[in-house]
Amino acid sequence: MSTPEEVAAFFRDYEEVRGQRLSERERRAAAAAAAWILAFNARWQAALIVHGAHGRNGHR
């Protein structure tokens, strides 16, 4: 799962390859999408821990 720092690095790399910065509207949309997926992943990971699946059979 990505960290907030990795998401920010991805957007910086994307802007570099794209050759221009994201517009304010694009930046807000990207930030909202990133926040959603980070929250979803955190919820999923917490659910695995609560239900005892975290670490089962050596898997995360």
Side-chain angles (χ1 to χ4, degrees):
M1 287 186 242
S2 298
T3 65
E5 293 79 16
E6 291 169 328
V7 172
F10 170 82
F11 286 127
R12 285 191 302 273
D13 291 346
Y14 176 79
E15 287 177 326
E16 185 177 327
V17 170
R18 174 182 167 163
Q20 66 182 22
R21 293 182 53 97
L22 296 171
S23 69
E24 184 60 31
R25 183 177 182 177
E26 291 170 321
R27 189 173 299 281
R28 284 193 315 264
W36 187 91
I37 196 66
L38 288 168
F40 178 87
N41 286 343
R43 181 179 176 202
W44 180 78
Q45 189 173 30
L48 288 177
I49 292 168
V50 168
H51 295 290
H54 187 74
R56 183 180 293 164
N57 298 324
H59 297 289
R60 284 188 150 192

